């Protein structure tokens, strides 16, 4: 009992330790999570404030540079607003410039004057070519009125200088320029006086990325942040791109001391430069680091205090469980006194647990009391179970005998049903064969009937075609006869034309003879007129005309003769063709008569074929009707036989089911008989268990 108590105490201490440990870890975790979230939010806020603050700083110093450059521009007013600049020639302006050298401000090393040709003259008396300089192009080519260039090496002094340039304007046109040349160190001095925090510094870039001003003086005019950044500082190139694009903004870059730097930048008004202010990350976040350190210590201290307080409260809270442990131990050992109760006045969760335990023990007391009352009834039930088991055994033996008897009868009935089913199946097979034969015969008759009907239809179609042929041949023979008659008429007309053509040839021959005689007569008349001399001249003219008429008649007669010969040849050809046509018409007429006789013979033969086909068709229809009656009778026999088969099948199935059921009943009865011994043994064990339960229940005090 002492070991159990010690073990429970150790477990209880382990539970307290775990609760306190879990509480402490949770407090520390959530405190540190709160510190991290607070730090990130504060960083974001500080970064936004820094961007705004340093933006104001950059803007202020950018304005300082712009105002200083405006002052330099203003200093150039003395030159561009002078009378000689407004009215004088370039030579007069050179003389005036040299004579007023003492008027330039201290920051200017010298003043230059330049015309459109790019040749510049200084107030110190020197001459140089500046046509390739950016400030010359800005004034003379781009038309700007003022311009300040990036630092360059002076061709006059060899130092790094800036040119504060103003245009000489006449009638709205730039005719020249004045430029004040100053060393770039003056701009550097303006920026070097700027102080930004403890680690911050300003710098200025030209429009090509060249460093104009920087705390590292070796970089001034020697380092280009667009192209000359060091390895690992590529982000400086991206920053330089934004600055030379005249953007206003801020960015984080890896600084020259390998620490992150926050850069705020903006363009310098009135120039092509861009100014930036850089400050190290550790300075921006220094206040945040201090605050987070303080919050961390506060979190640790608060965690220690909360863990201590929670440990004390947990220890105080679980003390009432000791009484519960004592009561449970007493119930579990000794006389199992269920009348035990725990007195507690706590209203917290543990108090409710103890009250629940009291209710549980009270309920258990009621249950054990009921079980003790049921003990006697259970003993009586065990005795009744044993007696019932004996009776069940005798009943099972009788059931097994009856099952064997019924099973033998079912086996005999099953044999009879099998023989009946075999006979019925053989009848069904014969009916099926007969039905197939009838189906084949019916199909053959149907096909023959359809073929005969199709043949009758074809014969009828042929008869119609033969009738049409006979009618067509009659019309053809009539047309051929008419054609032959008309051809005879044409032949007669052609013979008449042939005779008339012969008469025309004879007439043409007579005309030709007359023309020849007339020509001869004309010749004789001409001879006689020649003999007559002057008296015969008139007659000579008449004789000449008659000769010409004779020649013309001869020529025409010859032409007519040629045409008549051609006409005669054509008439001969027509006569020959007409004869051939007459012969052809005669042959066609004879062939049509012969064909007509054949068509008449075919028509009579087809009429006889039609009568025979009709008789065959009637016989086939009669055979088809008989086959249909036989098929219907066969179908009825098949349906009846199918019904018999179905009934026999049902009988077989029922017999089989009964047989299987009896087998299952027999197996079940055997199993029941087999389980009787086990049941008897179980009954004995139940009786012994009831006795043991009674002994155990009697130990409880209720």
């Amino acid at each position: 009992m002492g070991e159990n108590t010690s073990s429970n105490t150790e477990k209880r201490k382990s539970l307290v330790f775990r609760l306190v440990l879990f509480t402490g870890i949770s407090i520390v975790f959530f405190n540190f999570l709160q510190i991290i979230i607070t730090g990130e939010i504060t960083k974001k806020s500080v970064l936004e404030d820094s961007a705004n603050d340093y933006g104001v700083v950059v803007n202020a110093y950018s304005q300082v540079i712009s105002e200083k450059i405006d002052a330099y521009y203003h200093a150039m007013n003395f030159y561009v607003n002078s009378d000689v600049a407004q009215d004088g020639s370039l030579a007069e302006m050179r003389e005036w410039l040299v004579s007023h050298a003492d008027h330039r401000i201290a920051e200017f090393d010298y003043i230059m004057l330049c015309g459109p040709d790019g040749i510049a003259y200084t107030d110190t008396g020197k001459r140089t070519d500046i046509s390739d300089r950016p400030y010359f192009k800005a004034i003379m080519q781009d038309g700007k009125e003022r311009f300040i260039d990036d630092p360059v090496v002076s061709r006059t002094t060899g130092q790094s200088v800036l040119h504060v340039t103003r245009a000489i304007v006449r009638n709205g046109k730039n005719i020249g320029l004045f430029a004040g040349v100053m060393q770039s160190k003056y701009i550097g001095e303006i920026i070097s006086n700027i102080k930004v925090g403890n680690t911050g510094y300003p710098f200025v870039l030209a429009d090509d990325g060249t460093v104009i001003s920087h705390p590292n003086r070796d970089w001034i005019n020697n380092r280009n942040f667009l192209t000359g950044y060091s390895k690992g500082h590529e982000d400086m190139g991206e920053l330089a791109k934004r600055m030379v694009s005249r953007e206003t903004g801020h960015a984080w870059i890896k600084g020259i001391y390998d620490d992150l730097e926050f850069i705020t930048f903006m363009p310098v008004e009135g120039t092509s430069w861009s100014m930036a202010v850089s400050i190290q990350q550790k300075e921006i976040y220094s206040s945040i680091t201090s605050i987070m350190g303080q919050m961390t210590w506060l979190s640790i201290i608060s965690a220690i205090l909360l863990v201590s307080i929670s440990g004390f409260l947990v220890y105080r809270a679980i003390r009432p469980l000791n009484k519960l442990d004592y009561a449970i131990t007493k119930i579990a050992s000794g006389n199992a006194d269920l009348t035990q109760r725990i007195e507690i006045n706590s209203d917290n969760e543990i108090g409710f647990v103890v009250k629940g335990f009291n209710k549980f023990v009270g309920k258990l007391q009621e249950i054990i009391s009921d079980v003790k009352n049921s003990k006697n009834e259970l003993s009586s039930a065990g005795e009744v179970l044993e007696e019932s088991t004996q009776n069940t055994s005798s009943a099972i033996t009788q059931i097994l005998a009856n099952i064997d008897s019924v099973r033998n009868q079912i086996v005999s009935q099953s044999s009879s049903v099998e023989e009946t089913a075999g006979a019925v199946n053989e009848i069904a097979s014969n009916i099926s064969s007969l039905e197939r034969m009838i189906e084949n015969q019916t199909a053959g008759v149907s096909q023959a009937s359809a073929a005969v009907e199709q043949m009758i239809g074809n014969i009828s179609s042929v008869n119609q075609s033969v009738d049409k042929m006979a009618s067509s041949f009659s019309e053809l023979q009539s047309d051929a006869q008419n054609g032959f008659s008309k051809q005879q008429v044409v032949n007669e007309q052609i013979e008449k034309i042939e005779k008339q053509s012969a008469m025309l040839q004879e007439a043409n021959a007579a005309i030709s003879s007359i023309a020849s005689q007339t020509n001869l007569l004309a010749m004789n008349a001409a001879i006689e007129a020649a003999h007559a001399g002057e008296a015969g001249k008139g007659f000579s003219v008449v004789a000449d005309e008659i000769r010409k008429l004779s020649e013309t008649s001869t020529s025409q007669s010859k032409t007519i003769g040629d045409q008549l010969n051609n006409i005669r040849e054509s008439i001969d050809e027509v006569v020959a063709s007409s004869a051939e046509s007459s012969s052809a018409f005669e042959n066609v007429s004879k062939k049509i008569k012969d064909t007509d006789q054949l068509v008449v013979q075919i028509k009579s033969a087809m009429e006889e074929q039609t009568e025979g086909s009709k008789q065959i068709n009637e016989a086939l229809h009669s055979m088809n009707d008989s086959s249909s009656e036989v098929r219907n009778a066969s179908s009825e026999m098949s349906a009846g036989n199918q019904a018999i088969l179905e009934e026999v099948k049902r009988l077989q199935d029922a017999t089989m089911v009964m047989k299987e059921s009896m087998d299952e009943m027999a197996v079940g009865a055997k199993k029941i008989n087999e389980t009787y011994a086990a049941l008897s043994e179980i009954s004995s064990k139940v009786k012994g268990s009831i006795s043991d339960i009674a002994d155990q229940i009697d130990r409880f005090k209720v």
Side-chain angles (χ1 to χ4, degrees), residues 634-674:
S634 176
S635 298
E636 293 176 358
M637 290 175 64
S638 179
N641 188 68
Q642 187 66 32
I644 293 171
L645 281 174
E646 291 177 356
E647 293 298 329
V648 170
K649 186 67 171 62
R650 292 192 188 97
L651 183 59
Q652 283 180 322
D653 293 341
T655 303
M656 186 60 66
V657 170
M658 290 174 64
K659 186 177 179 181
E660 292 175 355
S661 299
M662 293 307 298
D663 291 339
E664 291 176 358
M665 289 174 65
V667 172
K670 289 179 180 179
K671 288 182 178 180
I672 293 172
N673 197 22
E674 291 172 358

Side-chain angles (χ1 to χ4, degrees), residues 434-553:
L434 177 62
E435 194 171 22
R436 284 194 298 272
M437 294 171 63
I438 293 170
E439 288 291 337
N440 293 333
Q441 180 182 357
T442 303
V445 171
S446 298
Q447 292 176 358
S449 177
V452 170
E453 288 179 356
Q454 185 175 3
M455 183 175 67
I456 292 172
N458 293 333
I459 291 171
S460 177
S461 177
V462 171
N463 283 335
Q464 293 176 1
S465 299
V466 169
D467 289 338
K468 290 180 181 179
M469 288 173 62
S471 176
S472 298
F473 278 123
S474 298
E475 293 176 357
L476 183 60
Q477 186 176 7
S478 176
D479 293 339
Q481 192 65 37
N482 291 334
F484 181 75
S485 300
K486 291 180 180 180
Q487 185 65 41
Q488 293 295 332
V489 174
V490 171
N491 290 339
E492 292 175 358
Q493 295 294 328
I494 290 171
E495 290 177 356
K496 291 180 180 180
I497 292 171
E498 185 179 10
K499 291 178 179 180
Q500 292 174 358
S501 174
M503 292 174 67
L504 289 173
Q505 286 181 341
E506 293 176 357
N508 185 54
I511 292 170
S512 178
S513 177
I514 294 170
S516 297
Q517 292 176 4
T518 302
N519 187 26
L520 183 61
L521 181 61
M523 290 176 63
N524 292 330
I527 294 169
E528 291 299 329
H531 290 165
E534 292 294 332
K537 286 184 177 180
F539 186 73
S540 176
V541 172
V542 173
D544 188 52
E545 292 296 329
I546 291 172
R547 184 180 58 80
K548 292 179 179 180
L549 178 61
S550 175
E551 290 176 356
T552 302
S553 299

Side-chain angles (χ1 to χ4, degrees), residues 261-522:
E261 295 183 4
F262 184 71
I263 308 294
T264 304
F265 55 90
M266 66 170 47
V268 179
E269 296 297 329
T271 69
S272 59
W273 310 334
S274 181
M275 180 178 180
V277 169
S278 174
I279 188 166
Q280 293 185 13
Q281 180 187 28
K282 61 184 180 181
E283 183 173 351
I284 293 177
Y285 293 151
S286 60
S287 60
I288 298 176
T289 304
S290 176
I291 292 172
M292 291 184 67
Q294 295 174 4
M295 291 180 66
T296 301
W297 282 110
L298 288 175
S299 176
I300 294 172
I301 294 171
S302 62
I304 294 173
L305 291 175
L306 289 173
V307 168
S308 300
I309 295 171
S310 61
F312 176 74
L313 293 176
V314 169
Y315 177 76
R316 287 289 303 273
I318 65 174
R319 277 202 308 174
L321 294 178
N322 292 329
K323 295 181 180 180
L324 180 62
D325 177 54
Y326 175 77
I328 293 173
T329 303
K330 195 171 183 180
I331 292 173
S333 61
N335 58 0
D337 188 3
L338 295 180
T339 60
Q340 292 286 334
R341 298 293 185 272
I342 299 173
E343 298 294 334
I344 189 170
N345 297 321
S346 178
D347 292 332
N348 55 20
E349 287 79 0
I350 295 177
F352 282 103
V353 169
V354 173
K355 291 178 181 178
F357 171 76
N358 289 335
K359 291 181 180 179
F360 168 73
V361 173
K363 188 67 175 178
L364 182 62
Q365 182 181 1
E366 294 177 1
I367 293 171
I368 296 299
S369 299
D370 294 337
V371 171
K372 292 183 72 173
N373 293 331
S374 302
K375 178 186 65 174
N376 297 328
E377 297 177 1
L378 188 60
S379 299
S380 301
E383 294 175 357
V384 171
L385 176 62
E386 187 176 4
E387 184 179 355
S388 299
T389 302
Q390 296 293 333
N391 295 333
T392 301
S393 176
S394 59
I396 289 172
T397 302
Q398 187 176 359
I399 290 171
L400 284 172
N402 293 331
I403 289 173
D404 290 336
S405 176
V406 173
R407 187 174 182 279
N408 293 330
Q409 294 178 5
I410 290 173
V411 170
S412 177
Q413 181 182 355
S414 176
S415 299
S416 300
V417 171
E418 291 293 336
E419 293 177 357
T420 304
V424 172
N425 284 328
E426 185 175 357
I427 293 171
S429 176
N430 294 331
I431 292 173
S432 298
S433 299
L434 177 62
E435 194 171 22
R436 284 194 298 272
M437 294 171 63
I438 293 170
E439 288 291 337
N440 293 333
Q441 180 182 357
T442 303
V445 171
S446 298
Q447 292 176 358
S449 177
V452 170
E453 288 179 356
Q454 185 175 3
M455 183 175 67
I456 292 172
N458 293 333
I459 291 171
S460 177
S461 177
V462 171
N463 283 335
Q464 293 176 1
S465 299
V466 169
D467 289 338
K468 290 180 181 179
M469 288 173 62
S471 176
S472 298
F473 278 123
S474 298
E475 293 176 357
L476 183 60
Q477 186 176 7
S478 176
D479 293 339
Q481 192 65 37
N482 291 334
F484 181 75
S485 300
K486 291 180 180 180
Q487 185 65 41
Q488 293 295 332
V489 174
V490 171
N491 290 339
E492 292 175 358
Q493 295 294 328
I494 290 171
E495 290 177 356
K496 291 180 180 180
I497 292 171
E498 185 179 10
K499 291 178 179 180
Q500 292 174 358
S501 174
M503 292 174 67
L504 289 173
Q505 286 181 341
E506 293 176 357
N508 185 54
I511 292 170
S512 178
S513 177
I514 294 170
S516 297
Q517 292 176 4
T518 302
N519 187 26
L520 183 61
L521 181 61

